[in-house]
Amino acid sequence: MNTLRERLDESVAALRARDARVPTVALVLGSGLGAFADTLVDATVIPFAEVPHLANVTVPGHAGKLVIGRLKEGPSPVVAALAGRIHLYEGHSPDDVVYNVRALLTLGARNLVVTNAAGGISPTLRPGDLTLITDHLNLTGRSPLSGPNEDSLGPRFPDMTDAYDPALRKLAHAAAESVGQTLREGVYAGLLGPSYETPAEIRMLRAMGADLVGMSTVAEVIAARHMGARVLGMSCVTNLAAGVSPHALSHAEVEETARAARDRFIALLEAILRGLA
Ligand code: HPA
């Protein structure tokens, strides 16, 4: 088995052969946002399966792909968008979960924008709210950095202060204002899943300082900070968390709210990405 470094170098060589541009931003598209990748122009579409070592999604009918391109009109950075995310709850290792992000950062992207769907724990959050992640609690019990450190990627003990970059957060707020949107803020608790939380777990998470809860993001952010990339994280609150909500949680509700918020989320995302041009 090749080392992580060798695998990343092989993936990057294959990506460069398909598109020589160096992306400014690596973008992870969360639930309901995958179609954003198809709106990019001057686009190179690369199915994960066509690049050595890229981790592929296991949900049938949702083949993962990378799209390298630019926003439709106006100034745009080169964006490398991952449509199709790999989750720990599918049984993937933390290394697999972060592999595609690591590949894009190795390709040269210095900014990572991660998006997700999350449950709202804070009583001030409502379904449909777009929320900037200010910090996280990694409660998955796993880390993409466990095992031997790959020194060429980053240090053994990376700092996680300001993991969600203050300058990018400022840029996001300015972008939200420019498109007339309200952008909330909160601390994201990342759990393994795949069951939703119990009401007792949500009370625990609230006491721990969490405003949002979800089953993704934290591993990718840890890997990106290890590699020194700047990170921006955004959640769409798709439901009130268990026990906060008067009714049972369902994936259908999460999908429905994500769908309803999609156009707003995409408009905000575009404004933020433009700010990175
Ligand atoms: N909990 C965990 N993950 C989620 C939720 C939730 O309430 N909503 C969307 N993803």
Side-chain angles (χ1 to χ4, degrees):
M1 185 61 161
N2 300 339
T3 65
L4 173 59
R5 180 80 239 178
E6 287 164 345
R7 281 181 283 138
L8 285 170
D9 288 344
E10 275 182 32
S11 300
V12 164
L15 291 172
R16 284 211 178 108
R18 298 286 290 266
D19 191 325
R21 289 175 289 183
V22 174
T24 299
V25 191
L27 172 64
V28 179
L29 295 167
S31 300
L33 287 183
F36 175 71
D38 300 321
T39 70
L40 296 174
V41 298
D42 300 331
T44 305
V45 179
I46 309 172
F48 294 160
E50 292 178 8
V51 179
H53 314 302
L54 282 196
N56 212 343
V57 291
T58 47
V59 186
H62 285 84
K65 64 183 180 188
L66 163 65
V67 181
I68 302 176
R70 316 170 66 86
L71 300 173
K72 286 193 298 295
E73 50 224 14
S76 172
V78 176
V79 178
L82 294 166
R85 188 184 230 144
I86 289 93
H87 297 88
L88 282 173
Y89 63 71
E90 294 167 279
H92 299 289
S93 70
D95 256 325
D96 286 344
V97 167
V98 304
Y99 187 86
N100 298 355
V101 167
R102 278 178 167 154
L104 295 182
L105 299 181
T106 304
L107 186 60
R110 300 315 298 146
N111 301 282
L112 174 69
V113 175
V114 278
T115 59
N116 62 44
I121 298 174
S122 163
T124 68
L125 292 173
R126 286 284 162 271
D129 281 356
L130 302 180
T131 311
L132 204 52
I133 302 176
T134 56
D135 206 345
H136 78 215
L137 302 170
N138 175 17
L139 300 173
T140 63
R142 314 291 299 277
S143 169
L145 306 184
S146 66
N149 185 53
E150 178 49 64
D151 294 331
S152 71
L153 297 186
R156 172 76 288 188
F157 300 110
D159 176 49
M160 289 294 285
T161 314
D162 287 335
Y164 297 83
D165 190 77
L168 290 184
R169 278 154 54 194
K170 221 170 135 185
L171 184 153
H173 279 298
E177 215 176 298
S178 76
V179 291
Q181 290 200 30
T182 307
L183 183 57
R184 314 296 307 277
E185 285 197 337
V187 172
Y188 177 92
L191 276 67
L192 176 61
S195 53
Y196 290 117
E197 302 69 36
T198 63
E201 285 165 344
I202 293 299
R203 289 193 295 275
M204 173 190 76
L205 293 172
R206 181 183 295 160
M208 291 169 114
D211 302 301
L212 300 155
V213 59
M215 305 173 192
S216 67
T217 303
V218 292
E220 291 134 317
V221 172
I222 290 168
R225 291 304 299 144
H226 179 237
M227 293 178 72
R230 298 197 300 172
V231 173
L232 183 77
M234 263 196 305
S235 296
C236 174
V237 177
T238 51
N239 57 283
L240 299 178
V244 182
S245 173
H247 54 262
L249 272 52
S250 74
H251 185 57
E253 176 193 6
V254 167
E255 283 188 314
E256 176 52 36
T257 313
R259 198 175 312 118
R262 194 181 79 168
D263 290 354
R264 273 189 299 125
F265 207 159
I266 285 178
L268 176 57
L269 202 51
E270 282 178 351
I272 289 170
L273 293 171
R274 263 188 227 299
L276 288 166

